[in-house]
Amino acid sequence: MKKLLILGSGTGGTIVANVMRKKLKSTEWDITIIDKNVDHIYQPGLLFLPFALYGYENETAVKKDRRDFIPSGVNFVQDEIKSIDKNKKTVKTAKGSYTYDKLVIALGCDVHPGEIEGMKESIGNGVNTFYSLPEALRLQKDLANFKGGKVILNIAEMPIKCPVAPLEFIFLADYYFTKKGIRDKVEINLCTPAPGAFSKPIASEIMSHSMKDKNIHLIPNFPIASVDNKKKIIKSFQKEETNYDLLVSIPPTRGADILDDSGLGNGAGYVDVDHHTLKVKDTDDIYAVGDVCNVPTSKAGSVAHFMAEVVIENLLNEINGKSIHPDFDGHSNCFIETGFKKAYLIDFNYKIEPLPGKFPLPGIGPFGLLKDTKMNHRGKMAFRNLYWKKLLRGKPLAPFNLVKNKLQMAGKDTSLLKK
Ligand SMILES: Cc1cc2nc3c(=O)[nH]c(=O)nc-3n(C[C@H](O)[C@H](O)[C@H](O)COP(=O)(O)OP(=O)(O)OC[C@H]3O[C@@H](n4cnc5c(N)ncnc54)[C@H](O)[C@@H]3O)c2cc1C
């Protein structure tokens, strides 16, 4: 019996487990997936929980038992992965060890507030993050008690998980404080190490206009060095300072330390893969999927989904003695909530930045690219159901395979690219 081992049962790992179980004969292939905990969190919902918006009020809105999404015929192991030995084709965990014929690394990435002086010890005391369930719920209380003052949403450094989440947070803060009737008492700031609101120029310009319209300020080129929570000040490495009443930070993000310890990481816990085949460099039998990959596109669930399709195709090609395909193009597709029941949608890849147009049907939509619409918001709200029912189980998201893992140019206005 051959063995497929999947490390991490988040978005990417769960899709791979579901589809591979359908594709590989259970008399020939044993499939095991390992994760350190049993709760699967719908991470896009962590954005809404702090504001208790759109029905996201408590943990039941985002949390399910991940074993419900592992198909029968796949062994789920709850254990902490400690190391990978690519020569011996063995993975060690806290409680045991596992050999493999094919390995898929899907360990994601996480925030590390301890890397910024003064940040970790200040969390829960006027300093917050919202990238985990307990943090998002605590921020909900802090926001409910907030009577006015200066709010700073800080990005510590790039890359982060879901690069549009900071923008969504400040837009939703504007909506939240408007609904509360205290918007005129709150100053909202986006404090970023980058020169602009977003990394892609056309989208960044549009987001900057939206920020201006909503009276949200940008503090650019501010790589945070420390938090002084007594004085309520953050300092940059260039010794600039800015004060806050409520600091919400997206701390430095890292992949999985065990990858560095196993000689597979790039020093920041991300694994070097071929950008197009997603095969881990200098290995014969290892692929990676999702946020853990060191590739120049967004760390997003949509990307993990598109990557999973390519990893599955290439695993099957290899198993069947065929050549593997360089089919991943960096495709990413994200809604950007702007409050007031509206959202933008962006669709891009390694080479093509987000452009205006319609998605997924050219000229029809119903979603508007780089447009702030109610239909886009409805799409984002509908996505949670699709995530649990279709995406994790590896089923098509839309009829006629309308949402493809490669970027489609039809329906996009390319005239802006020629400028
Ligand atoms: C606030 C927020 C909003 C977001 N909004 C969006 C959005 O609107 N759209 C979008 O596309 N994406 C969004 N994302 C990003 C999206 O959730 C992630 O990109 C996606 O989940 C990545 O999938 P993954 O499989 O790579 O990693 P994950 O889903 O994070 O899974 C990694 C798994 O590995 C496990 N693991 C890690 N280390 C170990 C270990 N040593 N031992 C055992 N198990 C381990 C973890 O427990 C976890 O289950 C958002 C994320 C956040 C935080």
Side-chain angles (χ1 to χ4, degrees):
M1 186 75 103
K2 298 233 179 211
K3 289 176 184 168
L4 168 64
L5 185 59
I6 303 165
L7 307 183
S9 175
T11 311
T14 305
I15 298 172
V16 173
N18 273 281
V19 179
M20 289 306 279
R21 187 61 294 166
K22 283 192 203 119
K23 301 277 181 187
L24 295 176
K25 284 189 185 150
S26 54
T27 47
E28 291 174 7
W29 280 87
D30 179 84
I31 306 180
T32 297
I33 186 163
I34 308 177
D35 204 290
K36 60 187 169 192
N37 58 50
V38 290
D39 296 333
H40 190 125
I41 305 297
Y42 175 64
Q43 296 177 47
L46 299 177
L47 176 74
F48 300 114
L49 273 179
F51 306 103
L53 267 175
Y54 308 135
Y56 286 84
E57 276 161 22
N58 54 47
E59 64 175 32
T60 57
V62 297
K63 189 170 94 173
K64 287 190 193 283
D65 188 323
R66 68 170 85 247
R67 290 167 295 193
D68 293 345
F69 301 92
I70 308 297
S72 64
V74 171
N75 316 304
F76 174 78
V77 177
Q78 186 188 354
D79 204 347
E80 180 155 11
I81 296 142
K82 294 288 190 189
S83 65
I84 301 166
D85 185 333
K86 68 173 180 177
N87 298 319
K88 292 187 181 149
K89 293 190 174 196
T90 303
V91 170
K92 287 218 167 92
T93 62
K95 295 183 213 152
S97 86
Y98 299 81
T99 56
Y100 63 83
D101 295 285
K102 298 281 177 201
L103 182 71
V104 177
I105 301 173
L107 291 170
C109 61
D110 222 336
V111 293
H112 292 259
E115 289 190 7
I116 301 293
E117 187 189 325
M119 186 180 280
K120 195 173 176 187
E121 51 273 38
S122 308
I123 286 184
N125 190 18
V127 179
N128 292 275
T129 81
F130 61 100
Y131 269 45
S132 73
L133 181 54
E135 307 282 354
L137 289 172
R138 191 179 39 231
L139 180 52
Q140 192 185 83
K141 283 193 191 138
D142 281 13
L143 283 170
N145 293 330
F146 193 69
K147 302 281 183 282
K150 185 168 171 185
V151 175
I152 291 201
L153 186 286
N154 159 254
I155 304 166
E157 63 183 34
M158 298 304 279
I160 60 169
K161 177 151 53 176
C162 191
V164 298
L167 283 166
E168 296 185 282
F169 188 92
I170 52 167
F171 290 144
L172 289 178
D174 168 64
Y175 178 45
Y176 176 84
F177 291 123
T178 303
K179 279 205 326 172
K180 249 180 132 179
I182 60 165
R183 180 64 181 92
D184 56 337
K185 296 191 176 70
V186 183
E187 183 192 315
I188 304 175
N189 299 270
L190 174 64
C191 174
T192 166
F198 191 57
S199 56
K200 311 279 179 183
I202 298 169
S204 185
E205 202 182 320
I206 291 173
M207 296 305 141
S208 301
H209 284 304
S210 269
M211 284 173 63
K212 263 192 200 132
D213 289 348
K214 293 172 190 288
N215 194 22
I216 296 171
H217 309 282
L218 180 71
I219 306 174
N221 305 311
F222 192 104
I224 188 171
S226 62
V227 178
D228 183 337
N229 200 33
K230 278 200 186 119
K231 291 190 187 153
K232 300 244 172 268
I233 280 172
I234 53 174
K235 287 186 190 157
S236 75
F237 282 105
Q238 287 83 21
K239 311 274 181 245
E240 283 169 294
E241 292 185 1
T242 184
N243 67 307
Y244 62 85
D245 295 295
L246 180 68
L247 175 66
V248 181
S249 184
I250 301 169
T253 304
R254 292 177 57 85
D257 287 341
I258 67 119
L259 293 174
D260 289 340
D261 300 344
S262 305
L264 288 166
N266 70 345
Y270 298 111
V271 63
D272 281 325
V273 291
D274 178 288
H275 290 187
H276 301 285
T277 64
L278 302 176
K279 189 157 191 174
V280 175
K281 287 194 177 155
D282 304 322
T283 70
D284 292 330
D285 301 296
I286 313 181
Y287 285 86
V289 67
D291 293 350
V292 77
C293 296
N294 183 22
V295 289
T297 189
S298 292
K299 299 198 178 297
S302 59
V303 176
H305 171 213
F306 299 139
M307 283 178 156
E309 294 189 351
V310 173
V311 166
I312 289 161
E313 178 192 320
N314 279 337
L315 276 170
L316 290 170
N317 281 337
E318 260 182 5
I319 287 167
N320 294 319
K322 296 182 186 158
S323 53
I324 62 172
H325 295 159
D327 276 352
F328 183 64
D329 66 356
H331 187 195
S332 178
N333 179 283
C334 299
F335 291 107
I336 306 175
E337 279 291 316
T338 54
F340 305 90
K341 298 192 176 170
K342 289 169 103 181
Y344 288 99
L345 177 63
I346 54 174
D347 192 47
F348 59 103
N349 70 7
Y350 288 141
K351 287 192 182 150
I352 306 291
E353 65 175 302
L355 294 169
K358 295 279 187 189
F359 182 89
L361 289 169
I364 296 171
F367 303 119
L369 294 170
L370 276 182
K371 292 229 162 52
D372 193 18
T373 72
K374 294 210 162 175
M375 181 54 88
N376 289 344
H377 167 74
R378 279 188 221 124
K380 176 118 176 173
M381 291 300 108
F383 191 74
R384 176 176 48 174
N385 213 21
L386 283 178
Y387 181 85
W388 295 123
K389 291 202 167 137
K390 304 224 170 188
L391 185 135
L392 284 182
R393 298 181 196 280
K395 295 181 179 168
L397 290 185
F400 311 113
N401 195 21
L402 277 176
V403 181
K404 298 188 173 36
N405 63 33
K406 278 202 171 126
L407 185 81
Q408 303 299 302
M409 291 308 290
K412 293 192 171 64
D413 175 1
T414 51
S415 61
L416 291 176
L417 286 178
K418 289 174 198 140
K419 271 191 184 172

